[in-house]
Amino acid sequence: MTTFSQIKSTRVENTNIPFSRKLLASGIASMLVASAGLAVLSPGAFAQQAATVTTADKDIEEVEVSGIRFSQRSALDRKKAAVTMTDSLVAEDIGAFPDKNIAEALQRIPGVQIGRDNGEGSSVSVRGVDPDLLRVELNSVGAMGMGGSRGVDFRDMASELVKSLDVIKGSEARLTEGGLGGTIQVNTRKPNEFKENFFSANGEVQYNDLIGDAMPKTNFIGVYKFNEKLGVLVNVTASDKDTVMHGIRNTEWQRFADYDQSAEKTTVNPKYENITEKSGCAGISVVADRNTCLAQWDEFSPSLPRYGIWERGEKRLSANTMVQYAFTDNLSAYVGYTYNERDKTAYDTNLQFETNSAARVNPQSVIWDDRHNIVGFKTANATISNRVLDIDWYQESSMVETGFEYSLDKFQASGVIARSTSEQDIDSRGTTVWAGGIVDLEVNLNRQGLPDIDLSNAYIRNANDLTDTSNKFNVNDPASYSGGASYNYRPEQDETQEDMTKLDFAYSPDSGFFTKFQTGYQYNSQEFVNAKFAYNIIRNVGASYNDQMWTVADQIALIEGRTESTPDFFKNFSLSTYAPSSWQAIDSKAILEELRAISADNTTRTDLNVNRGNFDVEVATNALYGQANFEMAIGSLPLTGNFGVRVVDTKTAANGDVTIRVMVDQLDANGNPVVNPVTGAFAAPVEDLDHPDTFNGRKTIKEDYTETLPSLNLTLGLIPNELELYFGLAKVMAHPRIADINVNATCIINDYTQAEIDDLPDTCTAGNPALKPYVANQMDLALTWYPNEDSIVSAVLFNKEMDSWIVDPDTTRDVDFFNDGRLWDVRQKYNSSGAKTTGLELQASTMFTMLPAPFDGFGGSVNYTYMEAEDVGLFNALTGEELPFPSQSEDSYNISAFYETEAWGMRVAYNFRSEYLVKASDRSGNPLLVDDAGYLDAKFNYNITENLKFYIDGRNLTSEVVHINSGTGRMSQYDYSGREYAIGITYKM
């Protein structure tokens, strides 16, 4: 997969699927003809998924019990049956998962924390490990991320497809490698779990109070049983999903000047910590180093206060179909296909107040707090931009899988062949109009750090008369945006593919110490390709284009009639600062059309060349494992467990852009190096464009590595089937991020006389195709009590030591970067030792069936996770202080309570996570941390009849915001996405 096909943006058309079982069966039967034909022709190539949790899934499932109690009890059954450290969630009914969103469902599990995008749960971290370093599987087949990331966006898949979720925090040799933090397995239903035909239909309307529009969602599930051996299942969910984010931001905090003239430093740079007065920096000869020293006394100031409304409109489609056939009592096979599509538009409206330099701020107006943060100022020469990003964004993922399962007496065999793909096309068009020279725009931050932006006295400076304040700036007046206009086109696309072949064998002796021997082989091949493009049209007032000057009149004519009012800003939300209720934003499409017409420029993506830096990476792994399960007794206490080892051999091929420049002496007429007659030094070197080592193109670098991953799991029954002590040890790994092993090298060969005298090395700045994987040794110790079949009390102590961690770029000496014998000093990311994380997970849940009616319908659960990390190896770029482990909150907890009868039920759930690091360094060098946040959700359902159910639910009922800071007192982002409600009805037969 080394070339791109254009990804066509299509929209989902909703079609009415009739409720007739006869018509549904006819459609399913048509699908079966093709699918079952494949099964008959090639039974040996099919594979029943290798179940990670040993449960009763292999047996035909009576799908009759449903509800919250069933869900909670089934999750406990899966946990009890698991051999390694695992927690599970199970659907309350067919097509009815506890949460609308898979990520938001996963956050209910101890040790799982999620990230949100426009109010929706999107990414998941397990025990503080970044989403990129988790393995996510759908029916034991790897799920794919977008844009070269292995992190899966859980919005891509409808929760209605899910039967159960398993979060595997421990490890076994038979598990596919790749989950440094853990493995998340998404399991869908199989047709032979049903004894008879089945059909259900669901209709739902969602409503977000910040948007104000109703959004439809439908789900249809059909199962047709030809006989007890042959069945087919179809599960389809389609929805319109609109989300929005209203934000007030300071964006970034930069250090411009020492306004307070305090002797106390604002920050302490470790390099200059011994210099205690500004005068001490004067002796530093290198100007850049001297300025870095002086910056220790500079205050932090907000560089880009702005208002933003970021709207997303999506048409989502998720579909899963599977055919399952039992050839004999010993041999069964299946073929399945899963498809997910998100066809969306993004429309980001921004009103930006650019104050990002000392020259833009009036120093006499500056107000600071006791932490050396600027909390108020007036502008001297700011820029105000009215900017819109208009994006067509199409994402598609699919998976085809086929497998078999065979058993004969003591012998079992299973296999899977699968292909997963993902495609993404982003067509990003940005338009901006602006005004420069803005004076007396006033910014004051309140206690929350939110900017109060006062434009009442703001005016556009008259360069010819600085006392002239008559040209007042008006956000809604096209004539005020007198600086210029631009169009920035930034399309990009990427494709990802993973092929997998897996064979597993097991032998179970009749008796003895060992209860099962397992071995197997797995081949994975992953391919990642991306391409990015860029194009601009710019019109600066006063500049000439095609021999014509762009005037203020031209600028006003461009804007007039091409603006539109924004939606109500922070609708139904009480802000603690002033903000406009709306403003006139430019109409991006209209501005773009006019700019193109004026410039006679109709450039499209097909006219553009791919940007430098795109990647084309292949990763192939071969894995073998052996594992033994055993059972014995220590006195009267049963001890069960397993031990095993997995060996993984990985080969990578990274193809990327490479530029090699050769610097040589300037030569005189005699061919000798030119020497400065005054200083006697050699003249500065020049680039030799014709040198044989000069290169500008693409190169492929191949590397390989092998890892051996042992594991041990032990469970001691202190009270058989009731109180268990678990201990687990394992070595786990995750492959390097794709962007990190991209070649993308810029190199310089120093082939001149002075370089030889000074022994200067040849240098590169590059990615690192030779990166080894992330590797960690982990330990789990758990005490779990099951008082009855509905209850659990558990405490888990866990530790993870990152033996190999990929750290930020530094210079490595004498690297054979191109594997051709040439040595370079290369600035790149590299492997080092990593953090040590330790944590505690506590959980308890029960159903109060021991109480008299009606109180016997109550139930609930609570869990708490504490995590800490040391030797993280990440440091504040400005102060040198060690930063926390990324994506890891120190504290998180869940509380849920429910009440359920045969006729109705309700559930209330609250999730909290404390502050966590989302980015080690923004463009200004500050770390970004997401503040504490808690989310309250609730659901009520009523069974109208045995086959007809009504429900209503609400999310983010407490109107929580996402609050991101750059340090104490430095608010960077304040984003709100509204409260969401849904009402729906489900019919099944």
Side-chain angles (χ1 to χ4, degrees):
M1 188 177 63
T2 57
T3 60
F4 272 104
S5 58
Q6 292 288 331
I7 302 173
K8 186 177 288 186
S9 180
T10 59
R11 296 203 175 276
V12 180
E13 296 294 334
N14 293 324
T15 57
N16 295 320
I17 300 178
F19 283 73
S20 165
R21 180 185 295 192
K22 189 174 293 184
L23 289 176
L24 177 69
S26 299
I28 294 175
S30 299
M31 296 184 60
L32 181 63
V33 171
S35 302
L38 178 60
V40 173
L41 289 172
S42 182
F46 293 15
Q48 177 81 7
Q49 68 177 21
T52 296
V53 182
T54 306
T55 68
D57 285 351
K58 298 177 183 177
D59 301 325
I60 292 176
E61 213 175 87
E62 295 266 4
V63 199
E64 296 176 354
V65 183
S66 63
I68 303 172
R69 296 171 181 272
F70 167 76
S71 172
Q72 189 161 309
R73 184 178 298 172
S74 298
L76 288 181
D77 289 342
R78 296 181 74 85
K79 182 175 179 64
K80 293 173 187 176
V83 180
T84 190
M85 179 58 58
T86 303
D87 285 293
S88 300
L89 294 171
V90 177
E92 295 173 4
D93 199 353
I94 300 167
F97 212 67
D99 289 88
K100 296 292 182 190
N101 176 294
I102 293 177
E104 290 168 19
L106 285 167
Q107 73 179 337
R108 314 294 178 197
I109 289 178
V112 176
Q113 299 167 338
I114 71 170
R116 297 175 186 267
D117 180 38
N118 270 37
E120 287 190 287
S122 54
S123 60
V124 169
S125 64
V126 177
R127 290 181 171 175
V129 175
D130 191 82
D132 253 4
L133 305 181
L134 303 178
R135 179 166 176 83
V136 179
E137 297 178 346
L138 174 62
N139 296 334
S140 294
V141 178
M144 309 305 295
M146 298 286 177
S149 168
R150 293 190 177 91
V152 171
D153 187 336
F154 284 91
R155 294 172 296 179
D156 292 345
M157 184 186 304
S159 64
E160 287 80 3
L161 301 186
V162 178
K163 168 186 157 185
S164 62
L165 297 171
D166 298 313
V167 178
I168 305 164
K169 307 168 191 175
S171 187
E172 296 181 73
R174 65 189 180 87
L175 294 176
T176 303
E177 72 287 343
L180 194 77
T183 297
I184 298 173
Q185 291 198 327
V186 181
N187 307 302
T188 64
R189 296 186 183 275
K190 293 187 175 68
N192 282 356
E193 294 173 0
F194 296 77
K195 283 190 172 182
E196 58 185 20
N197 297 341
F198 175 85
F199 175 73
S200 76
N202 168 258
E204 177 180 300
V205 175
Q206 300 180 18
Y207 177 85
N208 184 300
D209 67 351
L210 194 55
I211 300 172
D213 294 331
M215 299 166 281
K217 181 178 183 180
T218 56
N219 169 255
F220 299 94
I221 302 173
V223 177
Y224 188 81
K225 296 300 296 288
F226 290 86
N227 50 52
E228 65 178 8
K229 293 185 176 182
L230 179 61
V232 61
L233 178 148
V234 177
N235 189 337
V236 179
T237 301
S239 65
D240 291 350
K241 183 65 176 180
D242 297 338
T243 60
V244 69
M245 184 280 294
H246 288 210
I248 296 181
R249 302 185 172 189
N250 292 312
T251 309
E252 292 170 346
W253 289 74
Q254 295 179 316
R255 297 176 299 173
F256 303 142
D258 180 13
Y259 293 107
D260 68 2
Q261 294 296 309
S262 168
E264 182 182 50
K265 290 182 178 181
T266 301
T267 60
V268 178
N269 188 312
K271 189 176 180 180
Y272 306 109
E273 61 183 348
N274 293 327
I275 298 178
T276 58
E277 297 180 356
K278 291 178 70 174
S279 58
C281 300
I284 301 174
S285 59
V286 179
V287 175
D289 292 343
R290 187 189 316 135
N291 290 338
T292 300
C293 177
L294 290 170
Q296 295 177 103
W297 283 268
D298 293 347
E299 281 69 52
F300 284 104
S301 181
S303 65
L304 186 62
R306 58 173 168 160
Y307 305 130
I309 300 176
W310 294 7
E311 301 170 276
R312 302 288 183 269
E314 296 191 40
K315 291 187 177 295
R316 296 179 179 175
L317 176 66
S318 285
N320 169 256
T321 183
M322 183 173 289
V323 179
Q324 190 176 20
Y325 182 65
F327 293 94
T328 68
D329 292 340
N330 305 107
L331 177 64
S332 65
Y334 77 93
V335 59
Y337 178 71
T338 302
Y339 177 83
N340 298 295
E341 178 183 277
R342 298 173 66 189
D343 190 2
K344 53 187 176 178
T345 59
Y347 201 81
D348 297 349
T349 305
N350 297 277
L351 187 60
Q352 304 180 164
F353 306 92
E354 300 167 20
T355 59
N356 52 346
S357 73
R360 294 176 180 263
V361 175
N362 178 352
Q364 283 74 42
S365 69
V366 173
I367 304 170
W368 54 86
D369 64 14
D370 57 2
R371 301 186 188 95
H372 304 282
N373 298 319
I374 302 303
V375 295
F377 62 89
K378 294 181 180 180
T379 63
N381 186 19
T383 297
I384 299 178
S385 296
N386 195 320
R387 182 170 182 260
V388 171
L389 278 174
D390 185 8
I391 305 171
D392 289 327
W393 195 341
Y394 180 78
Q395 294 178 320
E396 176 185 294
S397 63
S398 65
M399 184 190 78
V400 59
E401 52 178 323
T402 182
F404 75 92
E405 187 173 78
Y406 175 77
S407 62
L408 181 64
D409 297 330
K410 307 179 187 67
F411 175 77
Q412 299 92 38
S414 62
V416 178
I417 297 174
R419 168 169 288 182
S420 302
T421 63
S422 69
E423 300 178 351
Q424 176 174 245
D425 187 280
I426 303 174
D427 203 62
S428 175
R429 303 168 298 277
T431 48
T432 309
V433 297
W434 65 85
I438 305 297
V439 182
D440 280 352
L441 182 160
E442 187 171 357
V443 178
N444 290 290
L445 309 187
N446 68 7
R447 289 185 178 182
Q448 286 182 285
L450 301 179
D452 180 343
I453 300 169
D454 185 357
L455 291 164
S456 58
N457 296 314
Y459 65 92
I460 301 173
R461 185 182 61 180
N462 182 344
N464 298 318
D465 182 2
L466 297 181
T467 64
D468 180 7
T469 64
S470 62
N471 192 4
K472 299 296 184 181
F473 182 85
N474 184 340
V475 165
N476 299 317
D477 183 1
S480 285
Y481 296 97
S482 55
S486 68
Y487 161 57
N488 309 110
Y489 186 40
R490 298 292 183 270
E492 60 181 276
Q493 57 192 91
D494 57 77
E495 298 177 3
T496 305
Q497 178 177 299
E498 177 177 322
D499 293 328
M500 184 189 81
T501 300
K502 181 179 181 182
L503 288 170
D504 296 283
F505 304 95
Y507 176 76
S508 302
D510 286 332
S511 60
F513 175 74
F514 291 104
T515 58
K516 182 183 284 188
F517 296 100
Q518 294 174 270
T519 188
Y521 165 79
Q522 184 171 341
Y523 171 78
N524 281 70
S525 175
Q526 298 176 328
E527 300 179 22
F528 306 84
V529 185
N530 85 330
K532 296 183 179 182
F533 309 83
Y535 184 73
N536 302 310
I537 298 176
I538 297 175
R539 289 294 182 270
N540 285 304
V541 170
S544 293
Y545 304 91
N546 300 322
D547 298 325
Q548 290 188 339
M549 180 173 290
W550 185 254
T551 66
V552 171
D554 294 328
Q555 176 77 5
I556 296 172
L558 171 68
I559 303 172
E560 282 187 334
R562 298 182 179 90
T563 64
E564 55 190 0
S565 181
T566 67
D568 290 346
F569 195 43
F570 277 87
K571 177 183 175 182
N572 300 324
F573 187 88
S574 178
L575 275 172
S576 61
T577 188
Y578 167 78
S581 58
S582 67
W583 66 89
Q584 288 298 119
I586 57 174
D587 182 337
S588 180
K589 289 182 174 63
I591 293 284
L592 170 56
E593 183 178 337
E594 184 66 11
L595 272 176
R596 281 180 162 174
I598 291 169
S599 59
D601 189 335
N602 294 307
T603 301
T604 65
R605 186 191 304 193
T606 56
D607 301 317
L608 303 178
N609 294 319
V610 177
N611 283 0
R612 177 185 170 83
N614 64 300
F615 57 73
D616 184 345
V617 175
E618 297 179 10
V619 180
T621 61
N622 288 276
L624 289 168
Y625 77 88
Q627 179 174 309
N629 292 12
F630 59 86
E631 184 176 312
M632 60 175 290
I634 299 178
S636 61
L637 305 181
L639 176 68
T640 60
N642 65 38
F643 60 88
V645 64
R646 187 178 187 91
V647 179
V648 184
D649 179 72
T650 304
K651 292 180 171 55
T652 64
N655 176 268
D657 291 307
V658 174
T659 298
I660 301 177
R661 303 171 59 205
V662 182
M663 307 304 293
V664 298
D665 286 308
Q666 296 186 45
L667 302 178
D668 60 20
N670 298 319
N672 298 316
V674 174
V675 176
N676 187 312
V678 177
T679 64
F682 292 105
V686 295
E687 184 176 357
D688 184 353
L689 299 176
D690 298 319
H691 195 282
D693 288 331
T694 294
F695 183 84
N696 188 17
R698 294 181 70 82
K699 286 182 178 287
T700 297
I701 298 178
K702 297 182 178 181
E703 299 288 350
D704 61 82
Y705 51 84
T706 301
E707 288 292 338
T708 301
L709 308 174
S711 60
L712 171 68
N713 295 280
L714 300 171
T715 300
L716 181 65
L718 300 176
I719 302 176
N721 301 316
E722 184 174 337
L723 183 62
E724 296 179 346
L725 180 65
Y726 167 83
F727 176 74
L729 287 174
K731 182 181 179 182
V732 294
M733 63 169 280
H735 297 288
R737 293 178 173 89
I738 297 303
D740 291 343
I741 62 175
N742 183 21
V743 178
N744 196 24
T746 300
C747 304
I748 296 176
I749 296 176
N750 293 307
D751 188 18
Y752 54 93
T753 303
Q754 191 62 51
E756 183 177 349
I757 295 171
D758 295 339
D759 196 24
L760 290 181
D762 299 334
T763 61
C764 287
T765 299
N768 191 350
L771 283 172
K772 304 304 180 187
Y774 295 85
V775 176
N777 290 307
Q778 64 183 32
M779 181 276 292
D780 288 276
L781 180 64
L783 183 64
T784 305
W785 179 36
Y786 300 101
N788 55 52
E789 64 178 349
D790 299 324
S791 305
I792 183 175
V793 178
S794 177
V796 182
L797 179 67
F798 63 87
N799 175 267
K800 195 183 296 283
E801 295 189 10
M802 318 294 183
D803 281 358
S804 175
W805 192 260
I806 297 172
V807 299
D808 288 341
D810 202 351
T811 300
T812 305
R813 311 294 178 189
D814 297 328
V815 177
D816 185 2
F817 183 75
F818 297 106
N819 294 326
D820 58 5
R822 294 182 295 176
L823 299 181
W824 310 78
D825 283 7
V826 185
R827 181 172 177 77
Q828 58 186 174
K829 291 190 174 183
Y830 64 99
N831 290 95
S832 182
S833 59
K836 299 176 182 177
T837 64
T838 303
L840 175 68
E841 295 173 354
L842 304 175
Q843 67 170 308
S845 66
T846 192
M847 304 176 196
F848 296 100
T849 53
M850 73 293 293
L851 298 178
F855 304 106
D856 58 346
F858 282 105
S861 65
V862 60
N863 63 63
Y864 169 76
T865 303
Y866 172 81
M867 290 183 285
E868 62 179 18
E870 58 184 27
D871 300 329
V872 174
L874 284 177
F875 299 92
N876 187 312
L878 302 178
T879 67
E881 296 173 331
E882 188 167 25
L883 296 171
F885 196 68
S887 301
Q888 184 183 91
S889 291
E890 188 172 270
D891 301 287
S892 61
Y893 60 83
N894 291 278
I895 302 173
S896 65
F898 68 85
Y899 183 83
E900 186 176 49
T901 70
E902 290 185 2
W904 64 276
M906 67 176 298
R907 179 177 70 106
V908 178
Y910 182 77
N911 171 267
F912 171 87
R913 69 177 299 188
S914 61
E915 182 183 73
Y916 66 95
L917 180 70
V918 69
K919 194 172 185 180
S921 177
D922 64 14
R923 289 179 300 178
S924 62
N926 281 294
L928 290 179
L929 300 105
V930 180
D931 281 2
D932 302 353
Y935 291 83
L936 178 67
D937 305 328
K939 182 176 182 179
F940 170 82
N941 62 271
Y942 178 73
N943 298 321
I944 301 172
T945 69
E946 183 179 352
N947 297 326
L948 188 63
K949 181 173 73 174
F950 163 84
Y951 63 88
I952 184 170
D953 63 39
R955 296 165 54 208
N956 192 25
L957 298 178
T958 54
S959 300
E960 184 64 272
V961 298
V962 175
H963 188 191
I964 300 179
N965 68 80
S966 297
T968 304
R970 297 196 291 274
M971 190 283 292
S972 290
Q973 298 178 208
Y974 188 87
D975 300 338
Y976 177 59
S977 295
R979 294 169 294 187
E980 189 168 289
Y981 306 92
I983 184 170
I985 192 165
T986 300
Y987 174 79
K988 64 180 180 179
M989 55 183 290

